[in-house]
Amino acid sequence: MARDLPKVVLLDQGAFTVELAVKEIAVPHLWESHRDTSPDEVQERLQGAAVAITNGVALPAHVLEKLPELRLISACSSGVDHIDVTCCERQGIAVRMVPSYAAHTVAEHVFCLLLALRRNLLAYHADVVAGYWQASGQFSPARHSLGELFGLHMGIIGGGAIGQAVAKIAKGFGMSVAFAGRKNRRPDDDPAATGKLPFEEVIRTSDILSIHCPLTEETEHLIGAAELAAMKAHALLINTARGGIVDEQALVAAIMTKQIGGAGFDVAATEPPAEDNPLLPLVGHPQFLLTPHVAWASAEAQQSLLDQAIANVETFLREHPPAAG
């Protein structure tokens, strides 16, 4: 009897950085959980599985093609660039993700990066650590630039839950907000009809540009040398989405030549970044901040993410029971 139950495999419970409660799936099933799964282990661990749950474990076509019993991939993420969705469609494998679990935590991280850059927070903290303030003889040795958010114009690429949450916070700071339309829009794609402005206009007019779209073939290197050149000289670029959306080499050049005012990133094109990643030499630059893909990872958001991923599995198993043997 047990052999007829759908097998559910969680590939990388260790990707969660806090201890989480794993809710029981209220549908008969076989459960298997692994802390980590290397690329060489994926195929073996998913043999005979009906459901795969993955946070960051890649599921490429050459693996999926050898898993004929797989019926659902429940992604513990808001994007699926680590899953070959085209192959899934071809093989009839459903893919579910959790698009809005991190709206609050990622939006808050955007403003952590933004405020740290505008207020030169790290430089002022370093002054205190180094004893500069104590020895200065001044009550307020403001030797680094300080800027406000009030009155600035923020452009947002991506109008989903996270982009909307960022917009709400920005307005609370007294900023104006505009959402960008498609970069390469079709003739019948009118940005104004959705309340968006043309992509090029948002790039050109924003004091802050924040990215919240998925990484796809269409959005890879969405921000490249031409877009960076079109931005205001004091503009800040914030990316908490995916690294490949921005051309990293072009970004380094733009910051080093002061073409833009700076950038705050929580992502890199490859993660973890290799020693030769273009962004790493920028670490320590006063107008560049890099955090290690942690914007999503508040304890509250991680629990919500896992809960919703499990709920996606339960709903699928209820709606698609295994065929009677």
Side-chain angles (χ1 to χ4, degrees), residues 276-309:
D276 61 352
N277 184 281
L279 296 180
L280 294 183
L282 275 182
V283 174
H285 189 286
Q287 287 305 106
F288 180 72
L289 289 177
L290 179 63
T291 53
H293 204 143
V294 293
W296 69 280
S298 70
E300 298 89 343
Q302 289 190 60
Q303 186 65 65
S304 175
L305 171 59
L306 183 57
D307 289 348
Q308 291 182 65

Side-chain angles (χ1 to χ4, degrees), residues 66-288:
K66 297 175 182 176
L67 300 171
E69 296 180 63
L70 191 64
R71 296 190 288 134
L72 170 69
I73 298 171
S74 181
C76 297
S77 59
S78 57
V80 289
D81 47 284
H82 58 307
I83 300 168
D84 192 318
V85 178
T86 301
C87 180
C88 289
E89 292 175 352
R90 187 167 61 245
Q91 294 195 192
I93 302 171
V95 178
R96 302 288 185 268
M97 54 186 175
V98 186
S100 60
Y101 77 95
H104 300 300
T105 189
V106 173
E108 289 176 11
H109 200 85
V110 167
F111 284 88
C112 285
L113 294 170
L114 185 49
L115 286 165
L117 288 167
R118 287 290 290 172
R119 307 294 298 187
N120 258 309
L121 187 66
L122 297 186
Y124 278 114
H125 177 68
D127 281 353
V128 177
V129 172
Y132 175 82
W133 185 23
Q134 301 89 311
S136 69
Q138 299 175 278
F139 84 95
S140 177
R143 64 176 186 156
H144 309 290
S145 64
L146 289 158
E148 299 180 357
L149 297 184
F150 182 85
L152 296 185
H153 181 61
M154 173 177 273
I156 298 176
I157 298 175
I162 295 175
Q164 295 292 340
V166 169
K168 185 176 181 179
I169 295 174
K171 291 174 183 177
F173 273 104
M175 304 170 70
S176 59
V177 175
F179 286 90
R182 291 176 180 270
K183 181 178 180 179
N184 298 308
R185 61 182 186 273
R186 297 180 290 270
D188 59 344
D189 183 15
D190 179 13
T194 57
K196 298 179 179 180
L197 295 179
F199 179 87
E200 297 79 6
E201 180 179 341
V202 172
I203 295 292
R204 178 173 45 82
T205 60
S206 296
D207 300 301
I208 312 294
L209 186 64
S210 195
I211 300 172
H212 303 289
C213 61
L215 175 61
T216 64
E217 289 184 3
E218 184 180 0
T219 63
E220 185 174 11
H221 285 189
L222 184 73
I223 305 296
E227 289 71 34
L228 291 163
M231 291 174 66
K232 293 180 178 180
H234 66 264
L236 298 178
L237 176 64
I238 307 295
N239 186 9
T240 54
R242 290 291 185 270
I245 297 171
V246 176
D247 182 333
E248 293 175 342
Q249 295 280 9
L251 174 68
V252 172
I255 291 177
M256 295 304 294
T257 60
K258 298 184 178 180
Q259 192 173 61
I260 65 172
F265 273 46
D266 183 56
V267 290
T270 56
E271 295 174 347
E275 289 298 321
D276 61 352
N277 184 281
L279 296 180
L280 294 183
L282 275 182
V283 174
H285 189 286
Q287 287 305 106
F288 180 72

